[in-house]
């Protein structure tokens, strides 16, 4: 221990008869020098720069029309704002870029993921009953805690961000502080596994749903059951409290979605339409729309003011296991299915607007948005927790789909072409805002085929002549004009490859005029008169 090290150092000082060495020398004299840790490069998603830009722009922004348009170039990554700054462009907040994958040392399925209210950490609940905390910016491991004896099935933070409630397979409910100190345990709160926990807007009450076909309303301070709702005909798989009112929505294995009046404890409406187990019920930010997901591979949106279905969405090929609204966009939501696919939807369109195929190797059981809405986290039965963010301006298709060490997309150009992501002859890159008229173009070599640069330069030279450059050259003393330029200046010209045109009246010929760079030698010859 430390006392033994000090005695060894005292003996060495006495034998040498010298002054006390510094800490490094002492460690070296006793052979206790520690090896330095190797630095690890980690991906970081820092939101502070965008938040600062948004706060500065609020001084002069009158409406969303004043927001500066972000161009698809890497230089505009500095101008990227948080999702709150793009309320008029929900599609700009599709988190389709893979950032990081986190896995516990003891590999086990991830049943619940939940961001802390401040967004600094992500908390996961696993099949082994453990809480794991991951850093929300660098995504590195922070701490792990054995919270429950059985699998964690539900977690929910209070709106005042002071309390956390969790439930497990035994039906036990536990209270936690922000420091993860367990302050209360309610055993046998339900007879079977809990499937959902949600707080009331006032945080004075919370609700729980279970496989024992009941929904219970609890007094938070006393941890006492106030009401038991038993009108469902099957296991209750999900529930969520209305963001503003005393209204509760729950989904069950009986394919029904029920709306409950918490004060009276009675069902006020039953929403039908699904043909299989309802796996998710989610209120949007305004509380006007209710999103439901089911194992019948359908998503439905209901207007609770009229108890009427607005639209159904179909795109998944397997059972839908999770769904969630975006925290800032009332018309954007995300869903995940049993085959590990993640889809992004807009309320006005029936088809998915973005899709991540094989995001996980198996079912995605849970997902949660960062409080700022720029990162999506997903948990799966493949024992991993993955983080997804918005693509940066200028990111290529390969950058958006690169999955750490494993390549989840096509690995060769041929595979990309087969998928329709690249034509057989790639187009030339161009600067946004400047057309492709030949005046500004950049070659992008390296696509794996031989290119005849001399022929391309000759073609470009002819095209430039046709766009006006040939007229000036002809005015310098006459000269061979490209086919496109001849057709523009003389519509009756026939492409027989032998005609030349005299130049229009102009200044006298300039002797010794050097040819344009890259032009073939054939174009530098003047016709004989």
């Amino acid at each position: 221990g430390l006392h033994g090290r000090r005695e060894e150092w005292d003996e060495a000082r006495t034998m040498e008869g010298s002054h006390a060495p510094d800490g490094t020398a002492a460690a070296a004299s006793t052979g206790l020098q520690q090896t330095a840790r190797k630095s690890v490069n980690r991906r970081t998603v820092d939101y502070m720069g965008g938040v600062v830009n948004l706060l500065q722009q609020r001084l002069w922004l009158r409406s969303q029309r004043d927001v500066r348009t972000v161009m698809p170039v890497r230089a505009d990554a500095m101008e990227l704002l948080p999702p709150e700054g793009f309320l008029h462009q929900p599609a700009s907040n599709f988190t389709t870029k893979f950032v990081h994958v986190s896995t516990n040392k003891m590999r086990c399925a991830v049943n619940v993921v939940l961001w802390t209210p401040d967004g600094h950490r992500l908390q996961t609940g696993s099949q082994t009953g453990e809480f794991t905390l991951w850093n929300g910016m660098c995504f590195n491991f922070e701490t792990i805690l054995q919270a429950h004896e059985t699998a964690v099935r539900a977690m929910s933070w209070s709106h005042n961000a002071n309390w956390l409630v969790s439930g497990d397979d035994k039906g036990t409910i536990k209270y936690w502080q922000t420091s993860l100190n367990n302050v209360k345990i309610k055993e046998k709160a339900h007879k079977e596994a809990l499937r959902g926990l949600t707080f009331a807007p006032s945080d004075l009450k919370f609700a729980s749903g279970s496989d024992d076909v009941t929904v219970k309303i609890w007094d938070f301070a006393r941890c006492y059951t106030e009401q038991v709702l038993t009108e469902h005909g099957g296991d209750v798989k999900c529930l969520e409290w209305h963001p503003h009112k005393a209204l509760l929505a729950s989904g069950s294995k009986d394919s029904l979605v029920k709306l409950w009046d918490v004060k009276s404890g009675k069902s006020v409406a039953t929403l039908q339409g699904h043909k299989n187990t309802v796996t998710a019920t989610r209120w949007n930010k305004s509380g006007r729309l209710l999103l439901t997901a089911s194992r019948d591979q359908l998503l439905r949106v209901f207007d609770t003011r009229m108890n009427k279905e607005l639209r159904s969405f179909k795109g998944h090929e397997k059972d839908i296991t999770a769904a969630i609204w975006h925290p800032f966009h009332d018309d954007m939501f995300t869903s995940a299915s049993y085959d590990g696919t993640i889809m992004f939807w807009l309320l006005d369109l029936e088809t998915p607007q973005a899709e991540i195929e094989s995001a996980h190797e198996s079912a995605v059981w849970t997902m949660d948005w960062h409080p700022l809405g720029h990162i999506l986290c997903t948990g799966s039965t493949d024992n991993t927790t993955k983080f997804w963010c918005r693509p940066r301006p200028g990111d290529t298709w390969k950058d958006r789909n690169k999955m750490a060490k494993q390549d989840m997309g096509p690995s060769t150009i041929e595979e990309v072409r087969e998928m329709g992501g690249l034509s057989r002859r790639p187009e030339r890159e161009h600067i946004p805002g400047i057309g492709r008229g030949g005046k500004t173009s950049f070659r992008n070599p390296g696509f794996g085929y031989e290119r005849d640069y001399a022929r391309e330069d000759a073609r470009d030279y002819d095209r430039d002549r046709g766009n006006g450059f040939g007229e000036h050259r002809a005015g310098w003393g006459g000269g061979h004009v490209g086919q496109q330029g001849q057709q523009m200046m003389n519509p009756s010209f026939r492409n027989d490859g032998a005609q030349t045109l005299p130049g229009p009246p102009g200044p006298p010929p300039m002797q010794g005029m050097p040819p344009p760079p890259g032009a073939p030698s054939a174009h530098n010859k003047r016709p004989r008169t």
Side-chain angles (χ1 to χ4, degrees), residues 199-435:
F199 270 93
S202 63
D203 290 336
L204 298 178
K205 300 179 181 180
F206 71 93
S208 62
S210 171
D211 286 346
D212 60 4
V213 203
T214 62
V215 175
K216 293 186 178 181
I217 310 299
W218 300 80
D219 181 272
F220 177 75
R222 298 180 297 168
C223 195
Y224 174 77
T225 304
E226 292 186 348
Q227 294 179 359
V228 180
L229 314 179
T230 58
E231 294 187 21
H232 270 298
D235 301 352
V236 179
K237 295 298 183 181
C238 53
L239 77 163
E240 188 171 33
W241 208 298
H242 192 279
H244 312 301
K245 300 179 180 180
L247 188 65
L248 188 68
S250 63
S252 172
K253 202 172 182 179
D254 58 4
S255 308
L256 300 178
V257 177
K258 288 186 176 292
L259 303 180
W260 307 88
D261 182 1
V262 178
K263 295 180 180 180
S264 62
K266 297 182 180 180
S267 174
V268 296
T270 300
L271 305 178
Q272 301 179 357
H274 287 294
K275 299 179 181 179
N276 209 326
T277 303
V278 179
T279 56
T281 54
R282 296 283 188 173
W283 296 98
N284 69 340
K285 183 180 178 181
S286 63
R288 300 175 181 176
L289 303 178
L290 177 65
L291 170 67
T292 63
S294 172
R295 295 184 64 181
D296 60 4
Q297 307 174 13
L298 289 178
L299 294 157
R300 299 182 185 273
V301 176
F302 295 89
D303 188 342
T304 56
R305 295 170 295 181
M306 301 180 293
N307 290 335
K308 181 180 179 181
E309 179 183 338
L310 292 183
R311 179 166 292 178
S312 62
F313 304 85
K314 181 174 178 59
H316 287 283
E317 298 179 356
K318 297 293 182 179
D319 302 352
I320 301 177
T321 53
I324 188 172
W325 291 95
H326 192 273
F328 287 99
H329 297 286
D330 281 346
D331 57 346
M332 172 184 166
F333 56 93
T334 309
S335 62
S337 62
Y338 197 81
D339 58 358
T341 302
I342 301 174
M343 291 186 179
F344 299 86
W345 308 77
L346 294 180
L347 189 60
D348 296 335
L349 302 173
E350 296 182 355
T351 57
Q353 302 305 298
E355 180 179 358
I356 308 176
E357 295 183 359
S358 302
H360 285 268
E361 296 178 2
S362 56
V364 180
W365 285 120
T366 175
M367 59 173 55
D368 193 28
W369 283 100
H370 189 278
L372 285 179
H374 69 297
I375 297 179
L376 176 68
C377 180
T378 57
S380 170
T381 55
D382 63 0
N383 310 329
T384 62
T385 302
K386 291 186 178 181
F387 298 85
W388 310 85
C389 73
R390 301 175 295 173
R392 294 176 299 180
D395 275 357
T396 62
W397 182 89
K398 183 178 180 181
D399 293 335
R400 294 195 302 268
N401 292 272
K402 186 165 53 178
M403 308 282 287
K405 294 184 179 180
Q406 59 180 357
D407 189 9
M408 302 299 292
S411 57
T412 63
I413 293 297
E414 286 70 17
E415 295 180 9
V416 177
R417 291 196 182 104
E418 291 176 0
M419 295 178 62
L422 187 66
S423 61
R424 183 58 62 178
R425 182 178 178 84
E427 296 184 358
R428 294 187 174 188
E429 297 180 0
H430 69 287
I431 298 177
I434 302 180

Side-chain angles (χ1 to χ4, degrees), residues 58-72:
R58 281 181 175 178
L59 299 176
W60 53 268
L61 284 179
R62 296 170 299 178
S63 65
Q64 291 293 332
R65 292 181 296 177
D66 295 334
V67 176
R68 179 183 179 274
T69 301
V70 178
M71 301 300 293

